[in-house]
Amino acid sequence: MQRILLPILFSVGTPAVAGEIQLTLHGTGIEGKNLFVAVHSSADEFPTRDTHALKSIVVARSDTVGHLIKNVPAGKYAVAVFADLNGNGELDSNFVGIPKEPVGISRNAQGKFGPPKFSDAVFAVGDGVTALAIELK
């Protein structure tokens, strides 16, 4: 009985592992613009909706911006970023749905005839720092 109970007691008090995501975002013409960052943990809303994503807004002080996201639980994620060129707080697109403002996806994933797939953009976060460079085009 003690052999079974002891591992259970140690596992109950173990905190979930959390890491950090260090983003390097770069793109021509993004200086002075708000960058909307969404960290997705599932394919359900990726990349167009962000209801359940970890969200942040970064002001680009130059065409290359560093952004640290702390306390990210260990797991698999994909990041979607867009530069709000006109300041309206949303990603503008044309009548077909193609973005009119610069966008970037983790692992620089690109879609074929539509947005990129979560599986093409996914990366793992553990207990350290995960560094990603994303180009906004």
Side-chain angles (χ1 to χ4, degrees), residues 44-100:
D44 296 339
E45 295 186 346
F46 180 80
T48 56
R49 295 187 321 261
D50 60 7
T51 307
H52 297 97
L54 298 172
K55 297 178 272 194
S56 55
I57 301 172
V58 182
V59 178
R61 302 282 182 223
S62 69
D63 283 348
T64 300
V65 180
H67 180 52
L68 182 64
I69 303 168
K70 296 182 179 186
N71 298 318
V72 179
K76 299 202 181 275
Y77 296 92
V79 175
V81 182
F82 78 90
D84 187 13
L85 298 182
N86 61 7
N88 68 353
E90 47 188 66
L91 177 61
D92 297 317
S93 59
N94 66 16
F95 69 96
V96 183
I98 298 172
K100 292 168 41 175

Side-chain angles (χ1 to χ4, degrees), residues 2-64:
Q2 288 180 345
R3 289 184 191 171
I4 296 172
L5 190 55
L6 196 56
I8 292 172
L9 288 175
F10 283 122
S11 65
V12 170
T14 305
V17 176
E20 299 177 337
I21 301 172
Q22 176 62 58
L23 297 175
T24 302
L25 310 169
H26 52 91
T28 304
I30 66 171
E31 182 176 354
K33 306 302 179 190
N34 286 335
L35 306 180
F36 287 76
V37 179
V39 180
H40 297 264
S41 61
S42 73
D44 296 339
E45 295 186 346
F46 180 80
T48 56
R49 295 187 321 261
D50 60 7
T51 307
H52 297 97
L54 298 172
K55 297 178 272 194
S56 55
I57 301 172
V58 182
V59 178
R61 302 282 182 223
S62 69
D63 283 348
T64 300

